[in-house]
Amino acid sequence: MTTRAAVIGVGHYLPERIVENAEFEKTLDTTDEWIKSRSGIERRHFAAEGQTTSDLATRAARAALSDAGLAVDDLDAIIVATSTADLTFPSAATMVQAELGMMHGFAFDVQAVCAGFIYALTTANALITAGQARRVMVIGAETFSRIMDWTDRGTCVLFGDGAGALILGAQEGDGTNADRGILATDLNSDGRYRDILYVDGGISTQTTGFLRMQGKEVFRHAVEKLAATATTALEKAGMTPEQIDWVVPHQANIRIIAGTAKKLGLPMERVIVTVQDHGNTSAASIPLALSVGKARGQIKPGDVIVTEAIGGGLAWGAVVLRW
């Protein structure tokens, strides 16, 4: 028998404020059509004043617990993937732990920008398969609206705020790719490309900074690297693209999503797309899309899912799982 980390609950939360593309026309040299044609984004959610990343994460966590039919005492650990934690320290995860009333186990953050949820999911899988935890809450949560330069039309129209949560539980399998749970993972990074997507501030500079991005360079790397990591993860699982029911990609740009699907030889009908409604929510985008996909009735038990992401670092990776 083989221990697998299987999805047993999922949930999400989006701030109340919805910002349509047209709002940017008032302050920027841009249009709704320009934004949609280049990104596929039509609207996004922004956190309210005083609303923090841990607030969003806690709401998503409660939704996932409800979906799983679990109480907080059933969890062993919480991992939050975020690049926009409330404070330098302590971690957002410990704040979520406190808000949920969880007085046992452990909690920590993972920071790999848009690839953060893939890294956190891989970490949670390792904890479960190693026997160090039985149930792990994995959350992606961001308030990217806090690090936008509102004069830069190339970036500020692309990002949004939100949170998604997924609960992994230990289940016994036969050790084949017919098992439920995470079947394979693949992680990568290359720091030589850090200057094409970064925030120009931080603790040592005593500034918050703004997000900076060379869009064309990011696009050039994204499609190639996402298709490659998805293919590698599938090979590790002993599977082929034909066996995929759903690709749930990082929701950054519809052209990147479509280009990656094409390289994998998959039609867009087998891709979960939420970028039009959420924008790029960085580490939150994949769990948000998983939760929305389940709520829509698209993702069903037994489905084979490939999820992949790339973010600043550059950092990228993929996970193959059976729902």
Side-chain angles (χ1 to χ4, degrees):
M1 301 292 284
T2 299
T3 300
R4 297 287 195 187
V7 178
I8 56 176
V10 66
H12 70 275
Y13 173 76
L14 290 160
E16 291 183 11
R17 183 186 172 196
I18 299 173
V19 179
E20 301 284 347
N21 288 344
E23 282 202 35
F24 292 103
E25 296 176 1
K26 303 171 187 176
T27 56
L28 295 170
D29 179 18
T30 192
T31 64
D32 172 51
E33 185 53 40
W34 188 89
I35 298 168
K36 282 194 294 191
S37 66
R38 284 159 177 77
S39 68
I41 299 166
E42 299 176 24
R43 62 194 62 82
R44 74 287 292 145
H45 294 247
F46 284 166
E49 185 175 353
Q51 192 173 33
T52 65
T53 294
S54 68
D55 292 336
L56 273 56
T58 300
R59 290 173 183 255
R62 289 190 172 119
L65 285 168
S66 176
D67 182 59
L70 296 175
V72 69
D73 288 342
D74 295 317
L75 299 177
D76 298 312
I78 298 171
I79 304 174
V80 173
T82 187
S83 298
T84 53
D86 305 16
L87 303 172
T88 301
F89 65 82
S91 66
T94 54
M95 295 178 181
V96 174
Q97 182 186 32
E99 284 298 312
L100 292 176
M102 180 178 168
M103 295 178 285
H104 65 278
F106 55 96
F108 61 94
D109 289 355
V110 168
Q111 205 273 56
V113 200
C114 298
F117 188 75
I118 294 294
Y119 275 59
L121 201 60
T122 300
T123 302
N125 177 61
L127 288 170
I128 289 172
T129 57
Q132 294 189 344
R134 293 287 296 174
R135 295 192 185 98
V136 181
M137 172 89 76
V138 187
I139 306 169
E142 303 282 15
T143 48
F144 259 50
S145 62
R146 311 293 198 230
I147 54 171
M148 290 295 103
D149 177 352
W150 299 111
T151 67
D152 181 4
R153 71 169 188 166
T155 58
C156 72
V157 301
L158 302 178
F159 293 87
D161 303 335
L166 181 151
I167 303 173
L168 292 176
Q171 292 189 9
E172 296 306 314
D174 295 325
T176 73
N177 58 28
D179 291 346
R180 280 195 65 226
I182 292 177
L183 303 175
T185 66
D186 182 61
L187 298 180
N188 309 269
S189 67
D190 192 334
R192 293 176 299 169
Y193 300 109
R194 62 187 179 276
D195 291 337
I196 68 174
L197 179 55
Y198 67 103
V199 169
D200 61 358
I203 298 162
S204 63
T205 62
Q206 295 187 321
T207 60
T208 302
F210 296 116
L211 184 145
R212 305 299 181 193
M213 179 173 68
Q214 298 177 34
K216 289 182 180 178
E217 280 298 296
V218 173
F219 183 90
R220 184 173 69 83
H221 285 279
V223 174
E224 176 188 346
K225 287 178 168 56
L226 289 173
T229 189
T231 299
T232 298
L234 281 167
E235 289 172 351
K236 289 180 179 179
M239 305 181 86
T240 63
E242 290 75 23
Q243 293 172 278
I244 299 172
D245 293 294
W246 295 106
V247 176
V248 183
H250 168 48
Q251 308 286 319
N253 181 302
I254 192 63
R255 293 185 297 156
I256 293 174
I257 293 170
T260 304
K262 184 177 180 180
K263 272 191 171 289
L264 291 172
L266 296 172
M268 285 298 289
E269 290 76 18
R270 286 162 65 185
V271 181
I272 303 289
V273 179
T274 60
V275 69
Q276 70 279 1
D277 295 321
H278 304 157
N280 183 344
T281 55
S282 190
S285 80
I286 287 173
L288 264 169
L290 286 167
S291 182
V292 170
K294 181 185 177 184
R296 286 175 182 166
Q298 293 172 292
I299 298 174
K300 297 179 175 62
D303 283 353
V304 174
I305 294 171
V306 172
T307 183
E308 29 81 353
I310 187 169
L314 291 174
W316 66 100
V319 172
V320 180
L321 63 91
R322 188 179 296 278
W323 196 260

